[in-house]
Amino acid sequence: MNLTLKIWRQKDSSAKGQMVDYKVTDISEHMSFLEMMDVLNEQLVGSGDDPVAFDHDCREGICGMCSMYINGEAHGPDRGVTTCQLHMRMFKDGDTITIEPFRAAAFPVIKDLVVDRTSFERIQQAGGYISVNTSGNTQDANAIPISKHDADEAMDAATCIGCGACVATCKNSSAMLFVGAKVSQYALLPQGQVEAADRVQNMVAQMDLEGFGNCTNTGACEIECPKGISLDNIARLNRELMKAAVK
Amino acid sequence: MGGFFKSSVGRKVAMALSAFFLMFFLLQHFAINILSVLNPDLFNEVSHFMGTNPLIQFALQPVLIFGVVFHFIMGFVLEIKNKKARNVAYVKNNGAANSTWMSRNMIYSGVAILAFIVLHFIDFWFPEINTKFIKGDWSGTIEGVEGFRYYEELTHKFVSPIRVGAYVLAFVFLALHLLHGFTSAFQSMGATAGRKKTLQNIGKAYSILIPLGFIFIALYHHFNH
């Protein structure tokens, strides 16, 4: 298929960016979106132009690196996929595809489609962990009874890959689905109880400090999340913070 | 606790608490107003009780005014903060792919409701305050006219088709605001019940029937007087 691409080009973080039009031809519908971007970049390199910078790593939907806002949606029009898992069969021959970086004040553009998501790392560092004695006396996790329901919900929350699609798609650039998932995966397990109050307070404080917006419960994040992280995790985040406040 | 209400999560809890209070008030306001259609004498009696009872006038009324003002001011504060959180807008954004129009436009339906409240205060609340607190007349009557004045004042306001039109339009915006706000308030309070079918249906019924009821009252008095 032949496509017209409208891509955000920005030389560096301080430069003023703009949309630039490109044509790509003979794109196979079996290609992933990133492979289509590779074709474009080979074309650009061949003609001596600067290739389009975009984040990618594992290319199998688990690392959370690939981003891109494609035709007005985070990770494109398909559901439950990252950009690397998005196939070109989702588009038609002759389509014009708009490709932009994830937009949020807390995700500044580094170059073209690459954004700085280290604000997520700082939120994790603020409380997204448990303190465990690793001196050889660590209790075997399998020896601690956990209900199947709680274990399943904790696992579901832990599938968040921190890609930032929730922030990109939220009209308020809120990070509450991400923070809700990270708080939930520990809040549901016995190992997470010791630091529960500090964890939620510190992570929410860091989230606010980073300049993310306020959740207004539109539910867009849940729809666009490639891992299907449920909005229930935001409700749990709210409950955990309320619990910590009255403790 | 002070720190809690300064956090993003705390602010949405505060929005939800004020929303619950306002939704309860709306239900009570409707229950009294519908009496003007069903039983004008009873409407007069209840209106006089509400308008002169010291507990309602000096305790609940200030709480209500605080609730309304707080909900609007916090709504604007959050909107400004949210706009700042996305400093560069998308060239192409397909919001309809993942969220409802109502959820994305609460600020606009809210502003429409605020404009209506200003009109509503000019129509009813300011004259009441003037009569009771400035002129000191707590009788609920007009000299030379038999019975209480409330029903007459209400029906008189709905003579104007422009005012009735404005009221109808405002209640459409109220319905749109509630269609997202009702279940959203539960979610903000940490209750997943807001995402269950039962509560969603109760929310839809409340959000459509209450504004529709207010529209009916306005139209009923317009066409019957």
PDB file of all heavy atoms in Angstrom, chain A residues 170-172 214-221, chain B residues 79 82 95-96 98-109 175-181 183-184:
ATOM      1  N   CYS A 170      -5.113  10.800  27.941  1.00  0.00           N
ATOM      2  CA  CYS A 170      -5.972  11.538  28.875  1.00  0.00           C
ATOM      3  C   CYS A 170      -6.029  13.002  28.473  1.00  0.00           C
ATOM      4  O   CYS A 170      -4.993  13.615  28.211  1.00  0.00           O
ATOM      5  CB  CYS A 170      -5.417  11.416  30.293  1.00  0.00           C
ATOM      6  SG  CYS A 170      -6.301  12.434  31.481  1.00  0.00           S
ATOM      7  N   LYS A 171      -7.225  13.565  28.436  1.00  0.00           N
ATOM      8  CA  LYS A 171      -7.341  14.973  28.030  1.00  0.00           C
ATOM      9  C   LYS A 171      -6.662  15.890  29.046  1.00  0.00           C
ATOM     10  O   LYS A 171      -6.380  17.042  28.755  1.00  0.00           O
ATOM     11  CB  LYS A 171      -8.802  15.359  27.828  1.00  0.00           C
ATOM     12  CG  LYS A 171      -9.588  15.568  29.094  1.00  0.00           C
ATOM     13  CD  LYS A 171     -11.000  16.009  28.778  1.00  0.00           C
ATOM     14  CE  LYS A 171     -11.735  16.457  30.035  1.00  0.00           C
ATOM     15  NZ  LYS A 171     -11.212  17.684  30.624  1.00  0.00           N
ATOM     16  N   ASN A 172      -6.417  15.361  30.263  1.00  0.00           N
ATOM     17  CA  ASN A 172      -5.765  16.152  31.308  1.00  0.00           C
ATOM     18  C   ASN A 172      -4.307  15.762  31.519  1.00  0.00           C
ATOM     19  O   ASN A 172      -3.685  16.218  32.470  1.00  0.00           O
ATOM     20  CB  ASN A 172      -6.510  15.972  32.637  1.00  0.00           C
ATOM     21  CG  ASN A 172      -7.993  16.170  32.495  1.00  0.00           C
ATOM     22  OD1 ASN A 172      -8.441  17.056  31.792  1.00  0.00           O
ATOM     23  ND2 ASN A 172      -8.773  15.322  33.154  1.00  0.00           N
ATOM     24  N   ASN A 214      -5.094  16.275  36.482  1.00  0.00           N
ATOM     25  CA  ASN A 214      -6.011  15.617  37.414  1.00  0.00           C
ATOM     26  C   ASN A 214      -6.980  14.711  36.659  1.00  0.00           C
ATOM     27  O   ASN A 214      -7.548  15.105  35.657  1.00  0.00           O
ATOM     28  CB  ASN A 214      -6.817  16.670  38.179  1.00  0.00           C
ATOM     29  CG  ASN A 214      -5.914  17.577  38.979  1.00  0.00           C
ATOM     30  OD1 ASN A 214      -5.619  17.325  40.130  1.00  0.00           O
ATOM     31  ND2 ASN A 214      -5.424  18.639  38.338  1.00  0.00           N
ATOM     32  N   CYS A 215      -7.186  13.525  37.194  1.00  0.00           N
ATOM     33  CA  CYS A 215      -8.103  12.563  36.562  1.00  0.00           C
ATOM     34  C   CYS A 215      -9.541  13.076  36.661  1.00  0.00           C
ATOM     35  O   CYS A 215      -9.975  13.524  37.720  1.00  0.00           O
ATOM     36  CB  CYS A 215      -7.974  11.232  37.299  1.00  0.00           C
ATOM     37  SG  CYS A 215      -9.231  10.039  36.878  1.00  0.00           S
ATOM     38  N   THR A 216     -10.265  13.031  35.533  1.00  0.00           N
ATOM     39  CA  THR A 216     -11.694  13.388  35.572  1.00  0.00           C
ATOM     40  C   THR A 216     -12.551  12.197  35.156  1.00  0.00           C
ATOM     41  O   THR A 216     -13.690  12.357  34.734  1.00  0.00           O
ATOM     42  CB  THR A 216     -11.994  14.632  34.699  1.00  0.00           C
ATOM     43  OG1 THR A 216     -11.404  14.445  33.405  1.00  0.00           O
ATOM     44  CG2 THR A 216     -11.449  15.899  35.308  1.00  0.00           C
ATOM     45  N   ASN A 217     -12.001  11.016  35.277  1.00  0.00           N
ATOM     46  CA  ASN A 217     -12.745   9.766  35.073  1.00  0.00           C
ATOM     47  C   ASN A 217     -13.391   9.635  33.689  1.00  0.00           C
ATOM     48  O   ASN A 217     -14.499   9.104  33.575  1.00  0.00           O
ATOM     49  CB  ASN A 217     -13.829   9.611  36.159  1.00  0.00           C
ATOM     50  CG  ASN A 217     -13.258   9.699  37.556  1.00  0.00           C
ATOM     51  OD1 ASN A 217     -12.192   9.149  37.821  1.00  0.00           O
ATOM     52  ND2 ASN A 217     -13.935  10.392  38.448  1.00  0.00           N
ATOM     53  N   THR A 218     -12.713  10.101  32.651  1.00  0.00           N
ATOM     54  CA  THR A 218     -13.284   9.922  31.303  1.00  0.00           C
ATOM     55  C   THR A 218     -13.193   8.459  30.878  1.00  0.00           C
ATOM     56  O   THR A 218     -13.967   8.009  30.050  1.00  0.00           O
ATOM     57  CB  THR A 218     -12.545  10.776  30.242  1.00  0.00           C
ATOM     58  OG1 THR A 218     -11.219  10.267  30.092  1.00  0.00           O
ATOM     59  CG2 THR A 218     -12.490  12.248  30.613  1.00  0.00           C
ATOM     60  N   GLY A 219     -12.229   7.744  31.425  1.00  0.00           N
ATOM     61  CA  GLY A 219     -12.063   6.316  31.091  1.00  0.00           C
ATOM     62  C   GLY A 219     -11.263   6.078  29.828  1.00  0.00           C
ATOM     63  O   GLY A 219     -11.074   4.924  29.418  1.00  0.00           O
ATOM     64  N   ALA A 220     -10.763   7.155  29.199  1.00  0.00           N
ATOM     65  CA  ALA A 220     -10.009   7.014  27.944  1.00  0.00           C
ATOM     66  C   ALA A 220      -8.740   6.191  28.140  1.00  0.00           C
ATOM     67  O   ALA A 220      -8.361   5.391  27.278  1.00  0.00           O
ATOM     68  CB  ALA A 220      -9.668   8.392  27.385  1.00  0.00           C
ATOM     69  N   CYS A 221      -8.088   6.354  29.291  1.00  0.00           N
ATOM     70  CA  CYS A 221      -6.819   5.663  29.569  1.00  0.00           C
ATOM     71  C   CYS A 221      -6.996   4.154  29.529  1.00  0.00           C
ATOM     72  O   CYS A 221      -6.166   3.428  28.967  1.00  0.00           O
ATOM     73  CB  CYS A 221      -6.267   6.105  30.918  1.00  0.00           C
ATOM     74  SG  CYS A 221      -7.417   5.932  32.294  1.00  0.00           S
TER      75      CYS A 221
ATOM     76  N   GLU B  79      -9.476  22.701  35.900  1.00  0.00           N
ATOM     77  CA  GLU B  79      -9.425  22.869  34.437  1.00  0.00           C
ATOM     78  C   GLU B  79      -8.135  23.607  34.040  1.00  0.00           C
ATOM     79  O   GLU B  79      -7.465  23.219  33.072  1.00  0.00           O
ATOM     80  CB  GLU B  79     -10.664  23.639  33.956  1.00  0.00           C
ATOM     81  CG  GLU B  79     -10.736  23.885  32.461  1.00  0.00           C
ATOM     82  CD  GLU B  79     -10.934  22.621  31.634  1.00  0.00           C
ATOM     83  OE1 GLU B  79     -11.296  21.580  32.213  1.00  0.00           O
ATOM     84  OE2 GLU B  79     -10.700  22.671  30.407  1.00  0.00           O
ATOM     85  N   ASN B  82      -5.229  21.295  34.502  1.00  0.00           N
ATOM     86  CA  ASN B  82      -5.226  20.246  33.468  1.00  0.00           C
ATOM     87  C   ASN B  82      -4.768  20.777  32.112  1.00  0.00           C
ATOM     88  O   ASN B  82      -4.115  20.078  31.348  1.00  0.00           O
ATOM     89  CB  ASN B  82      -6.615  19.614  33.355  1.00  0.00           C
ATOM     90  CG  ASN B  82      -6.970  18.831  34.606  1.00  0.00           C
ATOM     91  OD1 ASN B  82      -6.087  18.462  35.373  1.00  0.00           O
ATOM     92  ND2 ASN B  82      -8.247  18.595  34.819  1.00  0.00           N
ATOM     93  N   GLY B  95     -10.766  12.043  20.379  1.00  0.00           N
ATOM     94  CA  GLY B  95     -11.319  11.826  21.722  1.00  0.00           C
ATOM     95  C   GLY B  95     -12.528  10.906  21.729  1.00  0.00           C
ATOM     96  O   GLY B  95     -12.727  10.138  22.669  1.00  0.00           O
ATOM     97  N   ALA B  96     -13.322  10.966  20.661  1.00  0.00           N
ATOM     98  CA  ALA B  96     -14.551  10.168  20.595  1.00  0.00           C
ATOM     99  C   ALA B  96     -14.255   8.667  20.544  1.00  0.00           C
ATOM    100  O   ALA B  96     -15.132   7.849  20.809  1.00  0.00           O
ATOM    101  CB  ALA B  96     -15.365  10.579  19.374  1.00  0.00           C
ATOM    102  N   ASN B  98     -12.459   6.965  22.542  1.00  0.00           N
ATOM    103  CA  ASN B  98     -12.258   6.318  23.838  1.00  0.00           C
ATOM    104  C   ASN B  98     -13.001   6.961  25.012  1.00  0.00           C
ATOM    105  O   ASN B  98     -12.834   6.538  26.156  1.00  0.00           O
ATOM    106  CB  ASN B  98     -10.752   6.267  24.146  1.00  0.00           C
ATOM    107  CG  ASN B  98     -10.082   7.601  23.886  1.00  0.00           C
ATOM    108  OD1 ASN B  98     -10.611   8.639  24.254  1.00  0.00           O
ATOM    109  ND2 ASN B  98      -8.922   7.587  23.233  1.00  0.00           N
ATOM    110  N   SER B  99     -13.813   7.985  24.753  1.00  0.00           N
ATOM    111  CA  SER B  99     -14.530   8.608  25.868  1.00  0.00           C
ATOM    112  C   SER B  99     -15.783   9.316  25.357  1.00  0.00           C
ATOM    113  O   SER B  99     -15.893   9.619  24.170  1.00  0.00           O
ATOM    114  CB  SER B  99     -13.614   9.613  26.581  1.00  0.00           C
ATOM    115  OG  SER B  99     -13.098  10.541  25.647  1.00  0.00           O
ATOM    116  N   THR B 100     -16.718   9.580  26.270  1.00  0.00           N
ATOM    117  CA  THR B 100     -17.970  10.224  25.868  1.00  0.00           C
ATOM    118  C   THR B 100     -17.795  11.742  25.749  1.00  0.00           C
ATOM    119  O   THR B 100     -16.915  12.321  26.402  1.00  0.00           O
ATOM    120  CB  THR B 100     -19.085   9.954  26.901  1.00  0.00           C
ATOM    121  OG1 THR B 100     -18.688  10.546  28.151  1.00  0.00           O
ATOM    122  CG2 THR B 100     -19.325   8.461  27.094  1.00  0.00           C
ATOM    123  N   TRP B 101     -18.662  12.340  24.966  1.00  0.00           N
ATOM    124  CA  TRP B 101     -18.633  13.804  24.815  1.00  0.00           C
ATOM    125  C   TRP B 101     -18.845  14.463  26.185  1.00  0.00           C
ATOM    126  O   TRP B 101     -18.189  15.454  26.517  1.00  0.00           O
ATOM    127  CB  TRP B 101     -19.747  14.240  23.848  1.00  0.00           C
ATOM    128  CG  TRP B 101     -19.705  15.704  23.544  1.00  0.00           C
ATOM    129  CD1 TRP B 101     -19.047  16.317  22.529  1.00  0.00           C
ATOM    130  CD2 TRP B 101     -20.351  16.763  24.297  1.00  0.00           C
ATOM    131  NE1 TRP B 101     -19.229  17.682  22.593  1.00  0.00           N
ATOM    132  CE2 TRP B 101     -20.027  17.981  23.662  1.00  0.00           C
ATOM    133  CE3 TRP B 101     -21.157  16.796  25.425  1.00  0.00           C
ATOM    134  CZ2 TRP B 101     -20.484  19.212  24.115  1.00  0.00           C
ATOM    135  CZ3 TRP B 101     -21.600  18.026  25.897  1.00  0.00           C
ATOM    136  CH2 TRP B 101     -21.263  19.222  25.249  1.00  0.00           C
ATOM    137  N   MET B 102     -19.757  13.898  26.966  1.00  0.00           N
ATOM    138  CA  MET B 102     -20.079  14.473  28.281  1.00  0.00           C
ATOM    139  C   MET B 102     -18.845  14.502  29.177  1.00  0.00           C
ATOM    140  O   MET B 102     -18.586  15.493  29.859  1.00  0.00           O
ATOM    141  CB  MET B 102     -21.178  13.659  28.976  1.00  0.00           C
ATOM    142  CG  MET B 102     -22.554  13.872  28.424  1.00  0.00           C
ATOM    143  SD  MET B 102     -22.829  12.921  26.920  1.00  0.00           S
ATOM    144  CE  MET B 102     -23.203  11.310  27.575  1.00  0.00           C
ATOM    145  N   SER B 103     -18.086  13.408  29.182  1.00  0.00           N
ATOM    146  CA  SER B 103     -16.925  13.334  30.082  1.00  0.00           C
ATOM    147  C   SER B 103     -15.829  14.304  29.666  1.00  0.00           C
ATOM    148  O   SER B 103     -15.068  14.773  30.506  1.00  0.00           O
ATOM    149  CB  SER B 103     -16.373  11.905  30.123  1.00  0.00           C
ATOM    150  OG  SER B 103     -15.723  11.572  28.917  1.00  0.00           O
ATOM    151  N   ARG B 104     -15.753  14.603  28.376  1.00  0.00           N
ATOM    152  CA  ARG B 104     -14.687  15.496  27.898  1.00  0.00           C
ATOM    153  C   ARG B 104     -15.057  16.966  28.001  1.00  0.00           C
ATOM    154  O   ARG B 104     -14.211  17.835  27.849  1.00  0.00           O
ATOM    155  CB  ARG B 104     -14.334  15.176  26.430  1.00  0.00           C
ATOM    156  CG  ARG B 104     -13.721  13.812  26.204  1.00  0.00           C
ATOM    157  CD  ARG B 104     -13.116  13.709  24.810  1.00  0.00           C
ATOM    158  NE  ARG B 104     -14.027  14.059  23.736  1.00  0.00           N
ATOM    159  CZ  ARG B 104     -14.911  13.232  23.194  1.00  0.00           C
ATOM    160  NH1 ARG B 104     -14.990  11.998  23.622  1.00  0.00           N
ATOM    161  NH2 ARG B 104     -15.705  13.638  22.230  1.00  0.00           N
ATOM    162  N   ASN B 105     -16.344  17.244  28.230  1.00  0.00           N
ATOM    163  CA  ASN B 105     -16.789  18.643  28.187  1.00  0.00           C
ATOM    164  C   ASN B 105     -17.514  19.088  29.448  1.00  0.00           C
ATOM    165  O   ASN B 105     -18.405  19.932  29.385  1.00  0.00           O
ATOM    166  CB  ASN B 105     -17.668  18.858  26.949  1.00  0.00           C
ATOM    167  CG  ASN B 105     -16.867  18.706  25.669  1.00  0.00           C
ATOM    168  OD1 ASN B 105     -16.120  19.595  25.290  1.00  0.00           O
ATOM    169  ND2 ASN B 105     -16.992  17.554  25.028  1.00  0.00           N
ATOM    170  N   MET B 106     -17.088  18.546  30.588  1.00  0.00           N
ATOM    171  CA  MET B 106     -17.735  18.905  31.863  1.00  0.00           C
ATOM    172  C   MET B 106     -17.599  20.405  32.154  1.00  0.00           C
ATOM    173  O   MET B 106     -18.487  21.013  32.734  1.00  0.00           O
ATOM    174  CB  MET B 106     -17.123  18.101  33.012  1.00  0.00           C
ATOM    175  CG  MET B 106     -17.459  16.632  32.976  1.00  0.00           C
ATOM    176  SD  MET B 106     -19.213  16.306  33.208  1.00  0.00           S
ATOM    177  CE  MET B 106     -19.313  16.238  34.981  1.00  0.00           C
ATOM    178  N   ILE B 107     -16.487  20.989  31.738  1.00  0.00           N
ATOM    179  CA  ILE B 107     -16.274  22.419  32.007  1.00  0.00           C
ATOM    180  C   ILE B 107     -17.313  23.267  31.256  1.00  0.00           C
ATOM    181  O   ILE B 107     -17.826  24.252  31.789  1.00  0.00           O
ATOM    182  CB  ILE B 107     -14.819  22.862  31.679  1.00  0.00           C
ATOM    183  CG1 ILE B 107     -14.538  24.282  32.194  1.00  0.00           C
ATOM    184  CG2 ILE B 107     -14.485  22.763  30.200  1.00  0.00           C
ATOM    185  CD1 ILE B 107     -14.441  24.411  33.676  1.00  0.00           C
ATOM    186  N   TYR B 108     -17.655  22.855  30.010  1.00  0.00           N
ATOM    187  CA  TYR B 108     -18.613  23.645  29.229  1.00  0.00           C
ATOM    188  C   TYR B 108     -20.045  23.467  29.746  1.00  0.00           C
ATOM    189  O   TYR B 108     -20.796  24.445  29.865  1.00  0.00           O
ATOM    190  CB  TYR B 108     -18.510  23.290  27.743  1.00  0.00           C
ATOM    191  CG  TYR B 108     -17.134  23.574  27.207  1.00  0.00           C
ATOM    192  CD1 TYR B 108     -16.288  22.546  26.806  1.00  0.00           C
ATOM    193  CD2 TYR B 108     -16.642  24.877  27.155  1.00  0.00           C
ATOM    194  CE1 TYR B 108     -14.997  22.798  26.351  1.00  0.00           C
ATOM    195  CE2 TYR B 108     -15.358  25.150  26.709  1.00  0.00           C
ATOM    196  CZ  TYR B 108     -14.545  24.104  26.309  1.00  0.00           C
ATOM    197  OH  TYR B 108     -13.270  24.367  25.878  1.00  0.00           O
ATOM    198  N   SER B 109     -20.421  22.210  30.063  1.00  0.00           N
ATOM    199  CA  SER B 109     -21.763  22.011  30.638  1.00  0.00           C
ATOM    200  C   SER B 109     -21.817  22.703  32.004  1.00  0.00           C
ATOM    201  O   SER B 109     -22.857  23.278  32.365  1.00  0.00           O
ATOM    202  CB  SER B 109     -22.106  20.521  30.744  1.00  0.00           C
ATOM    203  OG  SER B 109     -21.111  19.808  31.433  1.00  0.00           O
ATOM    204  N   ALA B 175     -28.418  17.784  32.470  1.00  0.00           N
ATOM    205  CA  ALA B 175     -28.506  16.341  32.192  1.00  0.00           C
ATOM    206  C   ALA B 175     -27.175  15.830  31.648  1.00  0.00           C
ATOM    207  O   ALA B 175     -26.674  14.782  32.074  1.00  0.00           O
ATOM    208  CB  ALA B 175     -29.634  16.063  31.210  1.00  0.00           C
ATOM    209  N   LEU B 176     -26.582  16.581  30.720  1.00  0.00           N
ATOM    210  CA  LEU B 176     -25.294  16.176  30.136  1.00  0.00           C
ATOM    211  C   LEU B 176     -24.203  16.127  31.214  1.00  0.00           C
ATOM    212  O   LEU B 176     -23.376  15.214  31.235  1.00  0.00           O
ATOM    213  CB  LEU B 176     -24.878  17.148  29.025  1.00  0.00           C
ATOM    214  CG  LEU B 176     -25.771  17.154  27.777  1.00  0.00           C
ATOM    215  CD1 LEU B 176     -25.370  18.295  26.842  1.00  0.00           C
ATOM    216  CD2 LEU B 176     -25.687  15.827  27.031  1.00  0.00           C
ATOM    217  N   HIS B 177     -24.233  17.120  32.112  1.00  0.00           N
ATOM    218  CA  HIS B 177     -23.237  17.188  33.195  1.00  0.00           C
ATOM    219  C   HIS B 177     -23.394  15.979  34.129  1.00  0.00           C
ATOM    220  O   HIS B 177     -22.422  15.345  34.512  1.00  0.00           O
ATOM    221  CB  HIS B 177     -23.441  18.496  33.961  1.00  0.00           C
ATOM    222  CG  HIS B 177     -22.251  18.939  34.760  1.00  0.00           C
ATOM    223  ND1 HIS B 177     -21.113  19.449  34.182  1.00  0.00           N
ATOM    224  CD2 HIS B 177     -22.011  18.943  36.106  1.00  0.00           C
ATOM    225  CE1 HIS B 177     -20.242  19.763  35.125  1.00  0.00           C
ATOM    226  NE2 HIS B 177     -20.756  19.449  36.303  1.00  0.00           N
ATOM    227  N   LEU B 178     -24.662  15.673  34.452  1.00  0.00           N
ATOM    228  CA  LEU B 178     -24.923  14.574  35.387  1.00  0.00           C
ATOM    229  C   LEU B 178     -24.638  13.207  34.772  1.00  0.00           C
ATOM    230  O   LEU B 178     -24.256  12.278  35.482  1.00  0.00           O
ATOM    231  CB  LEU B 178     -26.388  14.624  35.849  1.00  0.00           C
ATOM    232  CG  LEU B 178     -26.742  15.761  36.819  1.00  0.00           C
ATOM    233  CD1 LEU B 178     -28.258  15.855  36.981  1.00  0.00           C
ATOM    234  CD2 LEU B 178     -26.095  15.542  38.176  1.00  0.00           C
ATOM    235  N   LEU B 179     -24.835  13.087  33.472  1.00  0.00           N
ATOM    236  CA  LEU B 179     -24.622  11.787  32.815  1.00  0.00           C
ATOM    237  C   LEU B 179     -23.189  11.285  33.005  1.00  0.00           C
ATOM    238  O   LEU B 179     -22.942  10.091  33.034  1.00  0.00           O
ATOM    239  CB  LEU B 179     -24.966  11.870  31.322  1.00  0.00           C
ATOM    240  CG  LEU B 179     -26.456  11.689  31.000  1.00  0.00           C
ATOM    241  CD1 LEU B 179     -26.755  12.100  29.563  1.00  0.00           C
ATOM    242  CD2 LEU B 179     -26.942  10.266  31.252  1.00  0.00           C
ATOM    243  N   HIS B 180     -22.245  12.215  33.122  1.00  0.00           N
ATOM    244  CA  HIS B 180     -20.886  11.792  33.478  1.00  0.00           C
ATOM    245  C   HIS B 180     -20.647  11.931  34.984  1.00  0.00           C
ATOM    246  O   HIS B 180     -20.058  11.057  35.615  1.00  0.00           O
ATOM    247  CB  HIS B 180     -19.832  12.606  32.712  1.00  0.00           C
ATOM    248  CG  HIS B 180     -18.426  12.277  33.157  1.00  0.00           C
ATOM    249  ND1 HIS B 180     -17.844  11.063  32.926  1.00  0.00           N
ATOM    250  CD2 HIS B 180     -17.515  12.999  33.868  1.00  0.00           C
ATOM    251  CE1 HIS B 180     -16.633  11.039  33.453  1.00  0.00           C
ATOM    252  NE2 HIS B 180     -16.399  12.200  34.033  1.00  0.00           N
ATOM    253  N   GLY B 181     -21.142  13.032  35.550  1.00  0.00           N
ATOM    254  CA  GLY B 181     -20.808  13.376  36.934  1.00  0.00           C
ATOM    255  C   GLY B 181     -21.295  12.380  37.971  1.00  0.00           C
ATOM    256  O   GLY B 181     -20.599  12.124  38.960  1.00  0.00           O
ATOM    257  N   THR B 183     -21.760   8.968  38.029  1.00  0.00           N
ATOM    258  CA  THR B 183     -20.908   7.792  38.250  1.00  0.00           C
ATOM    259  C   THR B 183     -19.453   8.204  38.523  1.00  0.00           C
ATOM    260  O   THR B 183     -18.744   7.520  39.251  1.00  0.00           O
ATOM    261  CB  THR B 183     -20.949   6.825  37.049  1.00  0.00           C
ATOM    262  OG1 THR B 183     -20.770   7.577  35.865  1.00  0.00           O
ATOM    263  CG2 THR B 183     -22.248   6.063  36.999  1.00  0.00           C
ATOM    264  N   SER B 184     -19.041   9.326  37.941  1.00  0.00           N
ATOM    265  CA  SER B 184     -17.681   9.819  38.150  1.00  0.00           C
ATOM    266  C   SER B 184     -17.433  10.121  39.628  1.00  0.00           C
ATOM    267  O   SER B 184     -16.341   9.865  40.152  1.00  0.00           O
ATOM    268  CB  SER B 184     -17.457  11.074  37.302  1.00  0.00           C
ATOM    269  OG  SER B 184     -16.203  11.636  37.556  1.00  0.00           O
TER     270      SER B 184
END
